[in-house]
Amino acid sequence: MSTSEPELSPDVAAAKGLRTGWTTGTCASAAARAAAEWLVTGAAPEAVEVGLPSGDRVSFPTADVDPDTPHRVAIIKDAGDDPDCTDGAHVTAQVAWAEDAAPADVADGADTGRAVTADHDADANGGTDTVTLLGGDGVGTVTKPGLGLPVGGPAINPVPARMIRAAIAEVTDRPVVCTISVPGGQKMAEKTSNARLGIEGGISILGTTGIVKPFSTASYRASVVQQIDVAAAQRLDTVVLATGSRSDRWAQEAWPDLPPVAFVEVGDFTGIALRRAAGDGIAQVRFVGMAGKIAKLAAGVMMTHFHRSKVDTDLLETVAKQVGAGETVVAAATETNTARHFAEVCLAENEPAALTVLCEMAAERCRAHTGDELAVTVTMVDFAGEEEIARG
């Protein structure tokens, strides 16, 4: 039994023609450099330049410079044309000499669970540069393993952490303490998956390239993988994969015994989620979605974005005939290109058997996609995400 996982088309994956933006990690590194320049020179810069992981360099105007809070500078995040909840965030850094900050400031960071252990990287001369990163207000605290970050530390991912340290190192080689904060970050985090991942109290400082590509699927895919890893780190044997917010809401109400971290919104990335779950040693997956996604899975298509796959209406017709559905249901299979229409007619005619078979076929395809390493069930919910209409 074969399955396929087509790549996204370039117009979807790269969102050509839309304006790119900057990650919170890039903004944090720019803010850190500006704060460090103020610390070293005694004057806050009006603009600052930092390097990206690619080696390219970009410049930003500084903001929120206040003589009453010395060596504290913000960069206002521009997410470009990406629908990002952190667009416009004031990503802020405050830098102090380590000898002046320690032990009080570092201890305060540790007490609030937002301290990062100092990073000791050998420089070109064999010495060490030391930057201690702290998470301030609006930056989340890691409370669960599986993210590749220390539990109890701030949610500052490895690439942004390196960018921050590199930016400061361009200004001074003296040991410093750098506190990253994002005013309003707690509210922004409510629109992210941080709570499920065990990141409490704010947003994450993210980014692997430093650039936000509008409607980037790479970041979404990475988020799906990360959520699976966190669930596995909690030693869960069951995860629930939902295709969107409505199916996810239904699933959480249906299985209240499962912890929030067990629920993952996979969007179109069912295939990678299944493979990651199997690779992480998770035993069972409960998939919840609507007719269109499930019909595609039943046909063996594991990447279900509408630009790269379409519903196999011949399959719908075959299934309808297989279960002995009436003429109205059989005709509905090919009347339009949408599985929604087919499902609605099945329900209107009180003939849900074809939908059950689609769920069974989808579950079988999902199991096959991982070499039968996972137990998989598939539940179809209505388009309001309020009721189960079939399961297999």
Side-chain angles (χ1 to χ4, degrees):
M1 179 179 294
S2 64
T3 59
S4 64
E5 195 172 354
E7 293 294 330
L8 282 169
S9 55
D11 60 317
V12 176
K16 291 180 178 179
L18 296 177
R19 191 169 58 87
T20 58
W22 309 108
T23 63
T24 48
T26 296
C27 295
S29 69
R33 172 164 184 148
E37 286 189 14
W38 189 355
L39 178 67
V40 170
T41 67
E46 294 183 357
V48 68
E49 182 183 273
V50 291
L52 300 177
S54 65
D56 294 336
R57 297 186 69 83
V58 292
S59 61
F60 299 89
T62 57
D64 301 345
V65 173
D66 183 351
D68 292 334
T69 54
H71 319 138
R72 184 176 185 272
V73 181
I75 301 294
I76 300 176
K77 178 179 174 178
D78 178 1
D81 289 326
D82 194 62
D84 190 326
C85 69
T86 60
D87 185 38
H90 289 228
V91 182
T92 304
Q94 187 163 20
V95 175
W97 298 123
E99 61 265 29
D100 297 333
D105 290 350
V106 176
D108 286 345
D111 289 343
T112 58
R114 292 192 290 266
V116 177
T117 54
D119 180 55
H120 302 278
D121 293 324
D123 63 21
N125 298 317
T128 59
D129 293 335
T130 303
V131 175
T132 300
L133 282 180
L134 304 181
D137 180 57
V139 173
T141 299
V142 177
T143 67
K144 297 180 186 296
L147 290 168
L149 297 172
V151 172
I156 302 176
N157 280 17
V159 172
R162 288 196 295 271
M163 292 174 67
I164 292 166
R165 288 169 171 137
I168 292 173
E170 291 182 348
V171 179
T172 180
D173 58 4
R174 284 179 60 183
V176 299
V177 174
C178 177
T179 302
I180 304 298
S181 59
V182 182
Q186 296 94 331
K187 192 70 175 176
M188 297 173 196
E190 295 175 2
K191 300 179 181 179
T192 74
S193 60
N194 275 14
R196 294 192 196 184
L197 294 172
I199 298 172
E200 299 180 356
I203 65 167
S204 303
I205 304 301
L206 301 172
T208 54
T209 65
I211 300 171
V212 173
K213 293 183 178 180
F215 307 100
S216 170
T217 58
S219 59
Y220 195 99
R221 174 180 168 139
S223 174
V224 168
V225 168
Q226 188 178 56
Q227 290 181 71
I228 297 289
D229 288 348
V230 170
Q234 312 311 304
R235 299 185 178 180
L236 299 183
D237 63 0
T238 300
V239 295
V240 180
L241 308 182
T243 55
S245 59
R246 286 171 291 174
S247 52
D248 179 75
R249 182 177 61 250
W250 180 92
Q252 293 200 51
E253 292 175 355
W255 297 299
D257 55 311
L258 293 176
V261 73
F263 298 87
V264 182
E265 287 189 37
V266 297
D268 298 303
F269 293 102
T270 304
I272 183 63
L274 290 167
R275 295 199 308 276
R276 193 70 172 199
D280 281 351
I282 290 169
Q284 178 178 332
V285 164
R286 300 173 188 174
F287 182 91
V288 181
M290 298 176 187
K293 303 290 189 186
I294 290 174
K296 292 178 182 181
L297 293 179
V301 179
M302 297 290 125
M303 157 50 74
T304 55
H305 195 279
F306 71 93
H307 278 208
R308 296 301 289 166
S309 61
K310 63 181 182 178
V311 171
D312 186 343
T313 55
D314 290 339
L315 174 64
L316 299 184
E317 183 180 27
T318 298
V319 170
K321 291 179 178 177
Q322 175 186 325
V323 301
E327 291 183 3
T328 302
V329 171
V330 173
T334 55
E335 280 176 347
T336 74
N337 289 324
T338 71
R340 175 171 183 165
H341 173 70
F342 178 71
E344 288 175 341
V345 172
C346 286
L347 296 177
E349 296 294 313
N350 196 27
E351 296 189 50
L355 304 181
T356 298
V357 171
L358 286 176
C359 290
E360 292 171 347
M361 292 178 66
E364 187 176 2
R365 293 284 192 174
C366 288
R367 288 191 288 270
H369 193 64
T370 63
D372 291 320
E373 292 184 19
L374 287 173
V376 181
T377 60
V378 172
T379 301
M380 186 184 298
V381 295
D382 65 11
F383 294 93
E386 295 176 352
E387 297 181 10
E388 174 185 333
I389 57 179
R391 184 179 296 195

